[in-house]
Amino acid sequence: MNQTEPNFWVLEYVTITKDSRTGLVVAIGGTKQAADILQRTGGFVTAPGPRGDYHRLPHGLPIEQQRLKATGASHALLTAGHSVHLDPALNMLATPDGDRDAALRYLTQLAERASAAETSSAVAEVLTEVAAPVHGLLPLTREVVARAWITASNLQGAAPGEEPEPIARLGSTTNSLSEAARAMLHARNHAARPTQPPPTAPAPGRAQSPVSRRR
């Protein structure tokens, strides 16, 4: 028996997200009924686009208002039977400290992996997570500190090299973090090398005496 694929009307799916270039909250896709719900429950307005009309929230809304309206509109659409994808950053019902809790769980798991490691390669894997050049914890932390240093210097109105001592020391901390990451990568490389087996002792009874016995 031949089975045919069902027909899916992709344009009936609604995606509510925040455009990274303009900062506008936009809703793409959906039927006329979906457009009505977006306008009535979320305050979305219709705007012309290169591939037809789309919907967006008005300019200048505070972030919390954007999240409130986007969440309300998405739930109204779901209740009416529409399929909706809501950008997690716009979801008012998301767990407040979800990202922070996830980061803490990740650090705890790394510490447990380091304690439970039974081979050097397992230790090397943990060190890689911490010090990998692009996505390692230390380089990412250094990026946070560097940006905080630059912003603090700008807010103080200080010229480069003339920051107050606490802020200047914040800048030098970025160098320390880079050095720490390099040291960890060196240790990672050493730990990742195959372990050389210890030399094998001669079998019992086969040892030769340096002095031959006289008969």
Side-chain angles (χ1 to χ4, degrees):
M1 178 179 178
N2 294 329
Q3 291 189 355
T4 59
E5 293 292 332
N7 292 323
F8 290 105
W9 296 96
V10 177
L11 291 180
E12 292 185 3
Y13 290 80
V14 183
T15 297
I16 302 177
T17 188
K18 190 166 187 174
D19 180 61
S20 59
R21 184 174 59 86
T22 63
L24 287 174
V25 174
V26 298
I28 303 170
T31 61
K32 291 183 178 180
Q33 181 188 13
D36 179 72
I37 294 173
L38 285 166
Q39 293 173 18
R40 285 189 297 103
T41 64
F44 283 75
V45 298
T46 304
R51 297 184 180 179
D53 291 348
Y54 69 98
H55 309 282
R56 63 167 174 79
L57 288 179
H59 292 275
L61 284 179
I63 293 177
E64 289 307 307
Q65 280 294 312
Q66 291 179 348
R67 298 181 69 210
L68 180 63
K69 290 179 177 294
T71 302
S74 69
H75 280 268
L77 287 167
L78 288 170
T79 301
H82 296 272
S83 296
V84 185
H85 168 73
L86 175 64
D87 188 334
L90 295 172
N91 190 352
M92 288 286 290
L93 302 180
T95 305
D97 291 325
D99 291 342
R100 182 176 183 275
D101 292 341
L104 291 176
R105 287 195 301 270
Y106 175 55
L107 289 171
T108 300
Q109 290 169 3
L110 281 181
E112 292 173 350
R113 284 173 57 187
S115 298
E118 297 181 353
T119 63
S120 294
S121 60
V123 175
E125 291 175 1
V126 174
L127 292 176
T128 302
E129 295 289 324
V130 176
V134 178
H135 297 299
L137 294 173
L138 267 182
L140 292 175
T141 302
R142 180 195 177 280
E143 182 70 15
V144 173
V145 175
R147 294 192 183 198
W149 167 46
I150 294 170
T151 302
S153 298
N154 291 337
L155 292 174
Q156 292 280 331
E162 298 180 0
E163 303 97 338
E165 182 187 1
I167 295 178
R169 292 182 65 183
L170 187 65
S172 66
T173 301
T174 62
N175 295 327
S176 300
L177 290 171
S178 296
E179 289 297 327
R182 278 192 286 270
M184 288 190 181
L185 285 178
H186 183 71
R188 184 278 309 269
N189 294 340
H190 186 79
R193 295 173 186 167
T195 304
Q196 296 295 329
T200 305
R206 293 187 179 180
Q208 299 261 339
S209 172
V211 180
S212 301
R213 293 183 178 179
R214 293 182 180 177
R215 292 180 179 261

